[in-house]
Amino acid sequence: PWGTPQEVEVPPLPGIYNVDQLREWIGLYNEQDDLVNEPDDGGLEKFGEKKDGHWTFYIRSDIDCSSWKPDDGVLINKIGSGVTLNGGRYTLSNLTLQAKKNEDAGLIGEIATGGIAQHLRLENITVNGGGKNTSSGCIAAKISGGQITDCTVKKANMAGDGYVGALAGTMSGRA
């Protein structure tokens, strides 16, 4: 015999595992002004990791968002330089985003230069734009130089009087 077996507890990897954690991460993330240069992570370390000044946040499970009724048309304000949202090829499903008048709509408001959304799956998503001259997209309302790689959208319901697209409402700039 090798001795008495000992129980070993392995902590979960940093990431987002359910809809409550998704809401918590979005709330904390949107409060940050400058994630890359901020010495305090604001509690975000349980959702991702920072290496060499670059944050990567991970979705670690399929998440059914049907119990969540967001108040805004945009959930994540901006993914910019030094930030990656890695969906891990998991699916966010049953999400409805309703923009207020003259506001954009999308999971992410803007993916700016240096920002990356990757390996994200959206299914059964409804996005209602906020009117003329607004941008609405399932993944992002606007892409202004950021990157979207290996992402899919299935069963999308889109509406709006402005710029509307399954991936993004408007795109400009270079990655």
Side-chain angles (χ1 to χ4, degrees), residues 26-45:
I26 288 171
L28 290 172
Y29 178 83
N30 284 342
E31 289 176 359
Q32 304 301 313
D33 290 325
D34 184 3
L35 273 176
V36 175
N37 296 312
E38 194 73 31
D40 179 22
D41 61 27
L44 292 169
E45 74 282 349

PDB file of all heavy atoms in Angstrom, residues 26-45:
ATOM      1  N   ILE A  26     -19.171  41.441 -15.839  1.00  0.00           N
ATOM      2  CA  ILE A  26     -19.497  42.615 -16.646  1.00  0.00           C
ATOM      3  C   ILE A  26     -19.568  43.857 -15.766  1.00  0.00           C
ATOM      4  O   ILE A  26     -19.044  44.918 -16.121  1.00  0.00           O
ATOM      5  CB  ILE A  26     -20.808  42.394 -17.435  1.00  0.00           C
ATOM      6  CG1 ILE A  26     -20.568  41.390 -18.565  1.00  0.00           C
ATOM      7  CG2 ILE A  26     -21.349  43.712 -17.981  1.00  0.00           C
ATOM      8  CD1 ILE A  26     -21.828  40.921 -19.267  1.00  0.00           C
ATOM      9  N   GLY A  27     -20.188  43.741 -14.595  1.00  0.00           N
ATOM     10  CA  GLY A  27     -20.273  44.879 -13.685  1.00  0.00           C
ATOM     11  C   GLY A  27     -18.903  45.375 -13.250  1.00  0.00           C
ATOM     12  O   GLY A  27     -18.616  46.578 -13.292  1.00  0.00           O
ATOM     13  N   LEU A  28     -18.030  44.449 -12.844  1.00  0.00           N
ATOM     14  CA  LEU A  28     -16.676  44.820 -12.426  1.00  0.00           C
ATOM     15  C   LEU A  28     -15.861  45.367 -13.593  1.00  0.00           C
ATOM     16  O   LEU A  28     -15.157  46.368 -13.466  1.00  0.00           O
ATOM     17  CB  LEU A  28     -15.954  43.609 -11.821  1.00  0.00           C
ATOM     18  CG  LEU A  28     -16.461  43.118 -10.469  1.00  0.00           C
ATOM     19  CD1 LEU A  28     -15.788  41.800 -10.109  1.00  0.00           C
ATOM     20  CD2 LEU A  28     -16.221  44.164  -9.396  1.00  0.00           C
ATOM     21  N   TYR A  29     -15.956  44.693 -14.728  1.00  0.00           N
ATOM     22  CA  TYR A  29     -15.178  45.083 -15.903  1.00  0.00           C
ATOM     23  C   TYR A  29     -15.549  46.486 -16.365  1.00  0.00           C
ATOM     24  O   TYR A  29     -14.675  47.313 -16.639  1.00  0.00           O
ATOM     25  CB  TYR A  29     -15.388  44.071 -17.031  1.00  0.00           C
ATOM     26  CG  TYR A  29     -14.652  44.436 -18.292  1.00  0.00           C
ATOM     27  CD1 TYR A  29     -13.311  44.111 -18.451  1.00  0.00           C
ATOM     28  CD2 TYR A  29     -15.289  45.129 -19.313  1.00  0.00           C
ATOM     29  CE1 TYR A  29     -12.615  44.474 -19.596  1.00  0.00           C
ATOM     30  CE2 TYR A  29     -14.606  45.494 -20.460  1.00  0.00           C
ATOM     31  CZ  TYR A  29     -13.280  45.167 -20.594  1.00  0.00           C
ATOM     32  OH  TYR A  29     -12.587  45.530 -21.722  1.00  0.00           O
ATOM     33  N   ASN A  30     -16.845  46.768 -16.460  1.00  0.00           N
ATOM     34  CA  ASN A  30     -17.288  48.072 -16.955  1.00  0.00           C
ATOM     35  C   ASN A  30     -16.917  49.220 -16.017  1.00  0.00           C
ATOM     36  O   ASN A  30     -16.881  50.371 -16.443  1.00  0.00           O
ATOM     37  CB  ASN A  30     -18.792  48.069 -17.211  1.00  0.00           C
ATOM     38  CG  ASN A  30     -19.167  47.327 -18.474  1.00  0.00           C
ATOM     39  OD1 ASN A  30     -18.339  47.084 -19.352  1.00  0.00           O
ATOM     40  ND2 ASN A  30     -20.425  46.945 -18.578  1.00  0.00           N
ATOM     41  N   GLU A  31     -16.626  48.929 -14.753  1.00  0.00           N
ATOM     42  CA  GLU A  31     -16.228  49.971 -13.801  1.00  0.00           C
ATOM     43  C   GLU A  31     -14.772  50.405 -13.972  1.00  0.00           C
ATOM     44  O   GLU A  31     -14.384  51.459 -13.482  1.00  0.00           O
ATOM     45  CB  GLU A  31     -16.406  49.473 -12.360  1.00  0.00           C
ATOM     46  CG  GLU A  31     -17.836  49.332 -11.941  1.00  0.00           C
ATOM     47  CD  GLU A  31     -17.971  48.736 -10.550  1.00  0.00           C
ATOM     48  OE1 GLU A  31     -16.947  48.406  -9.914  1.00  0.00           O
ATOM     49  OE2 GLU A  31     -19.120  48.586 -10.102  1.00  0.00           O
ATOM     50  N   GLN A  32     -13.961  49.600 -14.649  1.00  0.00           N
ATOM     51  CA  GLN A  32     -12.528  49.874 -14.780  1.00  0.00           C
ATOM     52  C   GLN A  32     -12.272  50.918 -15.864  1.00  0.00           C
ATOM     53  O   GLN A  32     -12.834  50.839 -16.941  1.00  0.00           O
ATOM     54  CB  GLN A  32     -11.756  48.594 -15.109  1.00  0.00           C
ATOM     55  CG  GLN A  32     -11.958  47.481 -14.120  1.00  0.00           C
ATOM     56  CD  GLN A  32     -11.550  47.855 -12.709  1.00  0.00           C
ATOM     57  OE1 GLN A  32     -10.480  48.404 -12.498  1.00  0.00           O
ATOM     58  NE2 GLN A  32     -12.397  47.551 -11.746  1.00  0.00           N
ATOM     59  N   ASP A  33     -11.388  51.871 -15.541  1.00  0.00           N
ATOM     60  CA  ASP A  33     -11.024  52.899 -16.522  1.00  0.00           C
ATOM     61  C   ASP A  33      -9.862  52.468 -17.404  1.00  0.00           C
ATOM     62  O   ASP A  33      -9.872  52.686 -18.599  1.00  0.00           O
ATOM     63  CB  ASP A  33     -10.653  54.208 -15.815  1.00  0.00           C
ATOM     64  CG  ASP A  33     -11.867  54.867 -15.178  1.00  0.00           C
ATOM     65  OD1 ASP A  33     -12.964  54.770 -15.746  1.00  0.00           O
ATOM     66  OD2 ASP A  33     -11.702  55.462 -14.107  1.00  0.00           O
ATOM     67  N   ASP A  34      -8.855  51.855 -16.798  1.00  0.00           N
ATOM     68  CA  ASP A  34      -7.645  51.499 -17.525  1.00  0.00           C
ATOM     69  C   ASP A  34      -7.111  50.176 -16.972  1.00  0.00           C
ATOM     70  O   ASP A  34      -6.264  50.174 -16.088  1.00  0.00           O
ATOM     71  CB  ASP A  34      -6.606  52.611 -17.394  1.00  0.00           C
ATOM     72  CG  ASP A  34      -5.356  52.354 -18.215  1.00  0.00           C
ATOM     73  OD1 ASP A  34      -5.308  51.342 -18.945  1.00  0.00           O
ATOM     74  OD2 ASP A  34      -4.421  53.171 -18.126  1.00  0.00           O
ATOM     75  N   LEU A  35      -7.617  49.081 -17.484  1.00  0.00           N
ATOM     76  CA  LEU A  35      -7.230  47.762 -16.984  1.00  0.00           C
ATOM     77  C   LEU A  35      -5.752  47.462 -17.156  1.00  0.00           C
ATOM     78  O   LEU A  35      -5.146  46.820 -16.312  1.00  0.00           O
ATOM     79  CB  LEU A  35      -8.016  46.675 -17.714  1.00  0.00           C
ATOM     80  CG  LEU A  35      -9.361  46.317 -17.152  1.00  0.00           C
ATOM     81  CD1 LEU A  35     -10.041  45.294 -18.040  1.00  0.00           C
ATOM     82  CD2 LEU A  35      -9.260  45.801 -15.756  1.00  0.00           C
ATOM     83  N   VAL A  36      -5.184  47.885 -18.251  1.00  0.00           N
ATOM     84  CA  VAL A  36      -3.802  47.537 -18.565  1.00  0.00           C
ATOM     85  C   VAL A  36      -2.832  48.190 -17.588  1.00  0.00           C
ATOM     86  O   VAL A  36      -1.894  47.565 -17.119  1.00  0.00           O
ATOM     87  CB  VAL A  36      -3.466  47.914 -20.025  1.00  0.00           C
ATOM     88  CG1 VAL A  36      -2.003  47.663 -20.330  1.00  0.00           C
ATOM     89  CG2 VAL A  36      -4.351  47.126 -20.982  1.00  0.00           C
ATOM     90  N   ASN A  37      -3.062  49.455 -17.244  1.00  0.00           N
ATOM     91  CA  ASN A  37      -2.135  50.189 -16.392  1.00  0.00           C
ATOM     92  C   ASN A  37      -2.560  50.263 -14.928  1.00  0.00           C
ATOM     93  O   ASN A  37      -1.836  50.781 -14.099  1.00  0.00           O
ATOM     94  CB  ASN A  37      -1.950  51.609 -16.932  1.00  0.00           C
ATOM     95  CG  ASN A  37      -1.316  51.586 -18.303  1.00  0.00           C
ATOM     96  OD1 ASN A  37      -0.327  50.911 -18.519  1.00  0.00           O
ATOM     97  ND2 ASN A  37      -1.911  52.299 -19.242  1.00  0.00           N
ATOM     98  N   GLU A  38      -3.747  49.774 -14.625  1.00  0.00           N
ATOM     99  CA  GLU A  38      -4.268  49.815 -13.258  1.00  0.00           C
ATOM    100  C   GLU A  38      -3.545  48.790 -12.388  1.00  0.00           C
ATOM    101  O   GLU A  38      -3.519  47.610 -12.707  1.00  0.00           O
ATOM    102  CB  GLU A  38      -5.768  49.504 -13.293  1.00  0.00           C
ATOM    103  CG  GLU A  38      -6.511  49.819 -12.039  1.00  0.00           C
ATOM    104  CD  GLU A  38      -6.708  51.307 -11.810  1.00  0.00           C
ATOM    105  OE1 GLU A  38      -6.819  52.063 -12.785  1.00  0.00           O
ATOM    106  OE2 GLU A  38      -6.735  51.697 -10.646  1.00  0.00           O
ATOM    107  N   PRO A  39      -2.933  49.211 -11.260  1.00  0.00           N
ATOM    108  CA  PRO A  39      -2.231  48.246 -10.407  1.00  0.00           C
ATOM    109  C   PRO A  39      -3.187  47.301  -9.677  1.00  0.00           C
ATOM    110  O   PRO A  39      -2.873  46.154  -9.426  1.00  0.00           O
ATOM    111  CB  PRO A  39      -1.470  49.132  -9.417  1.00  0.00           C
ATOM    112  CG  PRO A  39      -2.163  50.442  -9.439  1.00  0.00           C
ATOM    113  CD  PRO A  39      -2.814  50.578 -10.783  1.00  0.00           C
ATOM    114  N   ASP A  40      -4.400  47.768  -9.352  1.00  0.00           N
ATOM    115  CA  ASP A  40      -5.389  46.943  -8.669  1.00  0.00           C
ATOM    116  C   ASP A  40      -6.315  46.341  -9.720  1.00  0.00           C
ATOM    117  O   ASP A  40      -6.812  47.047 -10.595  1.00  0.00           O
ATOM    118  CB  ASP A  40      -6.184  47.800  -7.691  1.00  0.00           C
ATOM    119  CG  ASP A  40      -7.260  47.030  -6.956  1.00  0.00           C
ATOM    120  OD1 ASP A  40      -7.156  45.787  -6.870  1.00  0.00           O
ATOM    121  OD2 ASP A  40      -8.206  47.663  -6.479  1.00  0.00           O
ATOM    122  N   ASP A  41      -6.556  45.041  -9.639  1.00  0.00           N
ATOM    123  CA  ASP A  41      -7.378  44.390 -10.654  1.00  0.00           C
ATOM    124  C   ASP A  41      -8.867  44.523 -10.392  1.00  0.00           C
ATOM    125  O   ASP A  41      -9.678  44.066 -11.181  1.00  0.00           O
ATOM    126  CB  ASP A  41      -6.992  42.922 -10.803  1.00  0.00           C
ATOM    127  CG  ASP A  41      -7.193  42.142  -9.520  1.00  0.00           C
ATOM    128  OD1 ASP A  41      -8.054  42.521  -8.706  1.00  0.00           O
ATOM    129  OD2 ASP A  41      -6.480  41.153  -9.329  1.00  0.00           O
ATOM    130  N   GLY A  42      -9.280  45.130  -9.271  1.00  0.00           N
ATOM    131  CA  GLY A  42     -10.691  45.359  -9.000  1.00  0.00           C
ATOM    132  C   GLY A  42     -11.507  44.099  -8.812  1.00  0.00           C
ATOM    133  O   GLY A  42     -12.710  44.109  -9.002  1.00  0.00           O
ATOM    134  N   GLY A  43     -10.865  42.968  -8.480  1.00  0.00           N
ATOM    135  CA  GLY A  43     -11.584  41.705  -8.285  1.00  0.00           C
ATOM    136  C   GLY A  43     -11.736  40.873  -9.545  1.00  0.00           C
ATOM    137  O   GLY A  43     -12.414  39.858  -9.548  1.00  0.00           O
ATOM    138  N   LEU A  44     -11.105  41.293 -10.621  1.00  0.00           N
ATOM    139  CA  LEU A  44     -11.261  40.605 -11.901  1.00  0.00           C
ATOM    140  C   LEU A  44     -10.421  39.334 -12.026  1.00  0.00           C
ATOM    141  O   LEU A  44     -10.627  38.557 -12.951  1.00  0.00           O
ATOM    142  CB  LEU A  44     -10.926  41.560 -13.051  1.00  0.00           C
ATOM    143  CG  LEU A  44     -11.923  42.704 -13.237  1.00  0.00           C
ATOM    144  CD1 LEU A  44     -11.364  43.733 -14.204  1.00  0.00           C
ATOM    145  CD2 LEU A  44     -13.260  42.185 -13.708  1.00  0.00           C
ATOM    146  N   GLU A  45      -9.474  39.103 -11.105  1.00  0.00           N
ATOM    147  CA  GLU A  45      -8.574  37.956 -11.230  1.00  0.00           C
ATOM    148  C   GLU A  45      -9.299  36.619 -11.185  1.00  0.00           C
ATOM    149  O   GLU A  45      -8.794  35.631 -11.694  1.00  0.00           O
ATOM    150  CB  GLU A  45      -7.473  38.002 -10.163  1.00  0.00           C
ATOM    151  CG  GLU A  45      -7.936  37.647  -8.763  1.00  0.00           C
ATOM    152  CD  GLU A  45      -8.689  38.740  -8.029  1.00  0.00           C
ATOM    153  OE1 GLU A  45      -8.708  39.897  -8.488  1.00  0.00           O
ATOM    154  OE2 GLU A  45      -9.280  38.431  -6.983  1.00  0.00           O
TER     155      GLU A  45
END
